[in-house]
Amino acid sequence: MSESNASDSTSPSTFILLGIPGWEAAHFWISIPFCAMYITALLGNFTILYIVKTEPSLHLPMYYFLCMLAVTDLVLCTSILPKTLSIFWFNSREIDFTACLTQMFFLHCFTAMESGILVAMALDRYVAICDPLRHSTILTNAAVAKISLAIALRSALLTLPFPILAKLLPYCRTTIILHSYCQSMAVVSLACSDIRLSNYYALFVIFFVTVLDVVLLTLSYTQILRAIFSLPTKDARLKTFGTCGSHLCAILAFYIPGLFSFLTYRFGSNVPQYFHILLSNIYLLAPPVLNPVIYGVRTRQIQDRLLRLSTHKGT
């Protein structure tokens, strides 16, 4: 191989995203629900941000974390959907190597950030239920800002090695990515050298983010349930547990699709490739779409504000 060819193979200028291989004829029809979900996510999350900003009674730690969740969901779906839709609609499959690495960073960073925000919201529910008299003194605005900064730093620092490791690898096999976006394992699998370091680091991040966060969520809700079941009346228990309903639904919307996606990727050798890709897209799209609906339906303060807005516009 000549020196110029070696240089080209080491640093490809572009990658080719195939979208959903094998389902090219159905790309247009698949794009319809994807586009509808994207628009729903944009409208829902911007509505949440507007309501919390304009309603002084919602300027509380729980709703600050909800705003963080909304911003994270907006970035998460916007980092993949525009390019995916351009593949489906215009067959625009090329993506610049640097843009691919940037998409990879945003994708994994904001996924980790969403997990961290759910833990922070569990902390808020834990303090509100188990130590309600000190809630306002423990979760001050300064404390919320520090927690938010810690979540962002953890996510960014743990995610940064993904694109760095991918950039250092030589690519001499093909530049065709069998996916609709630049998922890290889909990219590094194209390398023509040992990728064990990338695999080991991915497992480390899964443990340090997902497993650790699930443990913290379990511990928080163990204490919350103990406090709820110690209440004297059934009505008090149901009312208190109801304050956790939206958060529990958000946890399920985030972790259940992620669990299925992980299990099918790691152990589903007989699962068709198109199913892997569809499931990984649903994993990233479900929380941005469902979270505003969950909090809009189950949170009375947000419902009241929406009702006042619609009434005012009607008048």
Side-chain angles (χ1 to χ4, degrees):
M1 182 181 290
S2 69
E3 185 178 348
S4 61
N5 288 339
S7 175
D8 291 342
S9 67
T10 300
S11 302
S13 59
T14 59
F15 281 122
I16 305 296
L17 293 166
L18 288 190
I20 304 178
W23 279 27
E24 287 84 358
H27 274 179
F28 176 79
W29 302 108
I30 297 171
S31 73
I32 295 174
F34 274 42
C35 183
M37 292 172 75
Y38 184 44
I39 293 171
T40 302
L42 292 178
L43 292 176
N45 285 289
F46 275 121
T47 300
I48 292 289
L49 291 172
Y50 176 77
I51 288 173
V52 175
K53 181 180 183 297
T54 57
E55 182 58 54
S57 65
L58 299 181
H59 293 176
L60 299 169
M62 171 183 172
Y63 298 102
Y64 293 148
F65 290 135
L66 179 58
C67 285
M68 281 189 63
L69 193 66
V71 171
T72 300
D73 284 339
L74 285 169
V75 175
L76 195 56
C77 62
T78 302
S79 67
I80 63 165
L81 252 297
K83 182 58 184 177
T84 299
L85 291 175
S86 73
I87 296 171
F88 292 164
W89 288 341
F90 311 115
N91 203 33
S92 176
R93 300 183 176 189
E94 284 194 0
I95 183 169
D96 184 77
F97 182 59
T98 303
C100 185
L101 297 181
T102 303
Q103 186 186 60
M104 182 191 301
F105 173 79
F106 275 91
L107 168 67
H108 294 293
C109 179
F110 282 87
T111 302
M113 198 176 296
E114 179 136 357
S115 182
I117 294 167
L118 290 173
V119 174
M121 297 174 86
L123 173 65
D124 172 73
R125 291 298 84 207
Y126 166 76
V127 177
I129 292 171
C130 298
D131 198 358
L133 297 178
R134 298 179 59 207
H135 181 265
S136 59
T137 57
I138 294 174
L139 286 177
T140 60
N141 288 344
V144 171
K146 290 176 182 177
I147 292 170
S148 303
L149 180 61
I151 292 170
L153 286 176
R154 183 192 74 157
S155 303
L157 292 175
L158 285 174
T159 303
L160 190 59
F162 281 116
I164 292 175
L165 290 172
K167 185 175 177 61
L168 294 175
L169 291 170
Y171 298 89
C172 55
R173 294 174 182 168
T174 180
T175 57
I176 297 174
I177 301 175
L178 301 177
H179 216 296
S180 59
Y181 58 83
C182 292
Q183 197 262 354
S184 62
M185 288 298 102
V187 174
V188 300
S189 65
L190 304 180
C192 51
S193 64
D194 192 349
I195 61 170
R196 282 180 296 179
L197 179 59
S198 295
N199 288 333
Y200 292 150
Y201 186 73
L203 290 173
F204 165 74
V205 172
I206 288 172
F207 175 81
F208 196 77
V209 175
T210 307
V211 175
L212 179 61
D213 287 356
V214 168
V215 169
L216 292 174
L217 287 168
T218 303
L219 291 174
S220 297
Y221 270 95
T222 300
Q223 296 300 315
I224 289 171
L225 289 174
R226 287 180 60 186
I228 289 174
F229 285 119
S230 67
L231 295 173
T233 65
K234 181 180 179 180
D235 288 343
R237 289 194 291 270
L238 290 174
K239 184 177 180 180
T240 305
F241 186 74
T243 64
C244 303
S246 298
H247 184 238
L248 284 171
C249 290
I251 290 172
L252 294 175
F254 179 73
Y255 284 108
I256 288 180
L259 178 63
F260 277 109
S261 180
F262 174 77
L263 291 177
T264 55
Y265 185 82
R266 291 291 176 182
F267 307 110
S269 56
N270 295 324
V271 176
Q273 179 74 19
Y274 68 82
F275 187 79
H276 283 293
I277 297 172
L278 282 173
L279 198 56
S280 62
N281 277 279
I282 290 170
Y283 164 55
L284 296 175
L285 281 175
V289 172
L290 293 177
N291 286 338
V293 177
I294 290 167
Y295 280 94
V297 169
R298 297 189 60 90
T299 306
R300 182 180 56 80
Q301 294 92 328
I302 293 178
Q303 286 181 5
D304 292 344
R305 181 60 176 165
L306 277 172
L307 184 61
R308 290 204 301 272
L309 281 173
S310 59
T311 304
H312 177 71
K313 287 181 179 180
T315 303

